[in-house]
Amino acid sequence: MFKKLFKRNSNMGQSFSHEGEDLVMGEAIPTHIAIIMDGNGRWAKKRALPRVAGHHEGMQTVRKITRCACDLGIKVLTLYAFSTENWKRPKSEVEFLMRLPEQFLNSFLPELMERNIRVEMIGVMETLPDYTQRALKNAMKATKNNTGLVLNFAMNYGGRAEIVMAMQQLMKDVEAGTLTIDEISEQHISQYVMTAHLPEPDLLIRTSGEVRISNFMLWQLAYTEFWFTDTHWPDFNEASLKEAILVYQNRNRRFGGLKGEGTN
Ligand code: IPE
Ligand code: IPE
Ligand code: MG
């Protein structure tokens, strides 16, 4: 019945807001949602503002979506905040982006504590500026015993770099004689990627119209459901997240099996 109602709504192009909320709560909520937060620059350009104004506004969206994910009972929210390729951008923009964790976490930390949210990070910490490292490490330390939503920032993260690192770890085990080449399995690789302790994403959202994954979670997205929207990240809101979840709830995940055998 839920599915029928959703389909009717989507055919009529109506907004989901009210009914949407009930529908989202009526079916399985994805455990792990990963988001490629794209379109800050385009949002700013449309308003004749500098690109960094878009990043600042995007940070407000991070707050909004974190609260909403927490209220919906999502267990893990992974947000792609800075890729290993984003270093190619102008120095001033990179610096602005590197300052955002400090700004975001300093003001948001009390609420994260109140909401029992745990901050985590995937990516390479060591090559981030000191102030970025400090902000992330402080927040991770302060929230490490929290048991609610895991707010996982992908910062200085690249999917290929992550796989290379996992391979290096595996080769070290082979060299040390604790693993043979023939024993290497998918489980071993899963143990060495940065999300080893987390479930794989159920739903991937990318905002702002690009239909690519831009080196994000290459290993983990093998059976993730994808949802793309033209909305720029600063305009993404609670209703957008619920719309994505509704679409997810109406997908049939088969994992290579036959129709109806999936978890949804
Ligand atoms: C996403 O917005 C933020 C980061 C990649 C850091 P963009 O800055 O990529 O915005 P567009 O794609 O140029 O509009
Ligand atoms: C992906 O967005 C990275 C983040 C959202 C942090 P980009 O804007 O960097 O991706 P491309 O360059 O359009 O592929
Ligand atoms: Mg972009």
Side-chain angles (χ1 to χ4, degrees):
M1 181 260 233
F2 285 150
K3 288 188 185 180
K4 266 196 207 127
L5 188 51
F6 164 69
K7 280 189 184 119
R8 201 179 65 222
N9 274 346
S10 78
N11 287 343
M12 291 164 71
Q14 290 175 350
S15 126
F16 306 114
S17 50
H18 271 90
E19 283 162 306
E21 181 129 9
D22 298 341
L23 292 173
V24 162
M25 298 313 283
E27 295 207 20
I29 291 286
T31 303
H32 183 172
I33 298 182
I35 307 183
I36 302 176
M37 309 184 287
D38 199 16
N40 293 349
R42 277 163 282 174
W43 181 91
K45 194 173 175 205
K46 240 173 73 182
R47 288 161 180 78
L49 294 169
R51 289 180 56 84
V52 294
H55 296 317
H56 187 266
E57 198 57 30
M59 185 177 71
Q60 313 308 330
T61 306
V62 172
R63 274 180 227 268
K64 212 184 295 177
I65 295 308
T66 301
R67 290 186 184 119
C68 184
C70 183
D71 293 341
L72 289 171
I74 289 151
K75 301 278 185 281
V76 186
L77 178 66
T78 296
L79 300 177
Y80 202 7
F82 192 91
S83 76
T84 46
E85 287 72 36
N86 288 148
W87 295 107
K88 294 178 195 158
R89 295 188 180 196
K91 207 166 156 248
S92 57
E93 181 172 344
V94 169
E95 174 157 355
F96 189 92
L97 289 166
M98 289 298 153
R99 289 273 173 199
L100 282 183
E102 203 178 32
Q103 264 191 52
F104 172 80
L105 292 164
N106 285 352
S107 56
F108 202 41
L109 195 55
E111 188 177 335
L112 292 173
M113 290 303 290
E114 226 168 84
R115 287 178 171 270
N116 194 25
I117 294 173
R118 187 163 79 241
V119 176
E120 293 191 4
M121 179 209 160
I122 53 172
V124 180
M125 179 69 95
E126 293 71 32
T127 44
L128 290 172
D130 287 349
Y131 49 85
T132 316
Q133 289 197 31
R134 211 176 310 123
L136 288 165
K137 284 178 185 166
N138 281 345
M140 290 194 281
K141 195 171 163 206
T143 61
K144 77 171 193 302
N145 294 322
N146 290 352
T147 54
L149 172 73
V150 174
L151 177 58
N152 184 32
F153 288 102
M155 189 79 197
N156 195 14
Y157 173 87
R160 287 186 172 177
E162 179 185 41
I163 292 173
V164 169
M165 273 184 264
M167 293 306 133
Q168 288 169 336
Q169 288 299 325
L170 281 172
M171 292 312 137
K172 281 183 188 157
D173 288 351
V174 171
E175 246 175 32
T178 55
L179 188 69
T180 67
I181 289 174
D182 291 337
E183 279 168 355
I184 296 175
S185 66
E186 292 184 13
Q187 279 69 31
H188 286 105
I189 298 174
S190 292
Q191 274 166 26
Y192 279 129
V193 290
M194 291 160 175
T195 51
H197 61 298
L198 298 173
E200 287 171 4
D202 301 294
L203 172 64
L204 172 82
I205 296 171
R206 181 169 186 149
T207 59
S208 209
E210 309 302 349
V211 188
R212 55 177 171 260
I213 56 176
S214 303
N215 202 14
F216 190 45
M217 300 186 99
L218 299 179
W219 177 258
Q220 297 88 339
L221 294 176
Y223 268 105
T224 301
E225 295 295 325
F226 288 15
W227 187 75
F228 299 94
T229 175
D230 288 339
T231 305
H232 301 312
W233 177 248
D235 288 331
F236 193 85
N237 60 21
E238 294 88 345
S240 326
L241 181 66
K242 285 172 189 161
E243 187 182 342
I245 295 173
L246 269 174
V247 172
Y248 166 83
Q249 289 173 331
N250 282 272
R251 299 262 178 96
N252 192 324
R253 297 183 82 184
R254 290 188 284 281
F255 300 96
L258 298 179
K259 201 169 184 327
E261 284 180 354
T263 52
N264 275 342

